[in-house]
Amino acid sequence: MPLTILTALLAMALTLLPAVGVGAAYAAETSPEATIREAYAITIRELADIEAGKPAKPPFRPPHRQRLMTKELSALFARDEQFMKESGDQGNIGSDPFISGQDGEVKQLRVTVAERSVASATVFADFISFGPVRVTFWMKLEDGRWRIDDIVNRMEGKDYTVRSQLSQPYDCGSFMKKPCKR
């Protein structure tokens, strides 16, 4: 009799394992800091590509942004990219938000989680470029993965969010229903 109960419990546990175990294992593998580390690994490779004269694909461009950013933030970057393509002008972001400048480097990267709840987190990326730099990331758990929902850069003593910059209106563009004169 005890063997039958043990067998039943074992069968039940094995039935539940895929439902609980896979989700728990996946959640343990993803973290807000892992997403930011991945973004900076891409940034560091991109900076080396630029130096070598190769085309760059920073974290805010395809194919990376859809994986690293929330759908909302990714759509704002896509709209900015579309404006630049249609107008030939600079978009609403004039620098790389991951390095908080138009050019630079990433040395001595330190990624720390400042705050974390079940579905959101604030992560700091501290590094040396032309001096000490801190970039703040507001993260959200979306589709089971930690994604960047906004980026806060500090320039000339003032904080600005990338989301607020990307949300500014454009003079023209197919999405504005006013064609650009190129």
Side-chain angles (χ1 to χ4, degrees), residues 99-163:
I99 59 172
S100 192
Q102 290 182 345
D103 56 7
E105 57 190 359
V106 178
K107 292 184 177 180
Q108 301 174 18
L109 176 66
R110 196 174 87 240
V111 177
T112 54
V113 177
E115 296 176 31
R116 183 174 176 173
S117 70
V118 173
S120 65
T122 302
V123 179
F124 297 137
D126 293 291
F127 55 93
I128 305 296
S129 185
F130 298 118
V133 177
R134 169 172 276 181
V135 179
T136 303
F137 295 90
W138 295 341
M139 311 287 294
K140 279 189 180 176
L141 193 58
E142 183 180 86
D143 298 330
R145 182 174 168 89
W146 284 99
R147 298 177 193 266
I148 301 165
D149 193 48
D150 205 352
I151 306 168
V152 183
N153 288 148
R154 184 168 192 81
M155 290 194 160
E156 299 175 2
K158 183 180 177 193
D159 288 343
Y160 70 90
T161 71
V162 168
R163 180 184 283 276

Side-chain angles (χ1 to χ4, degrees), residues 9-27:
L9 288 173
L10 183 60
M12 193 174 7
L14 289 173
T15 304
L16 293 174
L17 187 61
V20 176
V22 171
Y26 185 74

Side-chain angles (χ1 to χ4, degrees), residues 3 16 29 55 57-58 77 83-84 99-100 119 143 145 149 170 173:
L3 188 57
L16 293 174
E29 290 176 8
K57 295 193 186 260
F77 270 105
F83 168 76
M84 290 187 289
I99 59 172
S100 192
D143 298 330
R145 182 174 168 89
D149 193 48
Y170 295 86

